[in-house]
Amino acid sequence: MSSYVISAPATPTLAVAGQDSRFPVRRVFCVGRNYGAHAREMGSDPEREPPFFFTKPADAVVPASGTVPYPPATDDLHHEVELVVALGSGGADIAPADAMALVWGYGVGLDLTRRDLQAQAKNTGRPWDMAKGFDASAPCSPLTPATTLGLAQDARIWLEVNGALRQEGKLGDMIWPIADVISHLSRLVRLEAGDLIYTGTPAGVAALSRGDRVRGGVDGVAQFALTIA
């Protein structure tokens, strides 16, 4: 048996709705600007831009419940509510027609963003890693197995802060549907079971403050409620 020179890190996991078993998280991919209105509010043209991706560490995934810490090194933390796709199998160069067979389940998560650090990185031509991939930057609800729900294109995705609606859209507003997202991503990296894909956010992203109460969800999939500590 192999031994390690330090203790092996724990595998990050997510709860599964209605089960004691948990979903192990391998990697976390995020799709940028996958809703037209959000792309426009961020200054891009959604008609011209192919999908692009960034990543977060697997251990940035935390439960979207209780308290989530306000991160250091920012004065401009933004919320981005997203449908999360959990893969139960993988592959490379996957055709869109075959992509949905890889999906194990769905959740709803937050892509938390240190927007001021992201703006600085963009202005200097540097990577955005520290704007997106910090500790606890990917809260996610428990996952629901795909076999137990029908994912409707008119399902509402939404987010409230302190009871006020901030983000709202429909899954059908995605520029690149889930099957296309999986297909495009599989041409860049080999996907595997345990990978999560955050599929983009509708318009209305804005700043969060310490003490804010955040609720969000995708109708028919999952909801979450948390407080920014």
Side-chain angles (χ1 to χ4, degrees), residues 72-104:
T74 185
D75 294 312
D76 196 19
L77 177 69
H78 278 212
H79 57 74
E80 301 185 19
V81 63
E82 311 204 3
L83 176 73
V84 179
V85 175
L87 300 187
S89 58
D93 296 318
I94 300 160
D98 300 325
M100 298 306 290
L102 277 60
V103 177
W104 183 90

Side-chain angles (χ1 to χ4, degrees), residues 28 30 52-60 71-73 77 111-122 124-138:
V28 181
C30 304
F52 72 93
F53 302 91
F54 57 92
T55 62
K56 291 176 182 272
D59 62 4
L77 177 69
D111 167 17
L112 293 175
T113 303
R114 295 194 277 206
R115 194 70 75 197
D116 43 2
L117 297 192
Q118 186 185 41
Q120 293 168 16
K122 288 179 178 180
T124 55
R126 295 175 179 171
W128 320 341
D129 297 57
M130 292 299 101
K132 289 286 192 179
F134 51 91
D135 297 341
S137 62

Side-chain angles (χ1 to χ4, degrees), residues 51 53 87 91-100 102 176-189 191 197:
F53 302 91
L87 300 187
D93 296 318
I94 300 160
D98 300 325
M100 298 306 290
L102 277 60
W176 298 96
I178 295 167
D180 289 337
V181 167
I182 293 172
S183 178
H184 276 280
L185 185 56
S186 74
R187 299 172 198 165
L188 298 170
V189 295
L191 299 173
I197 304 174

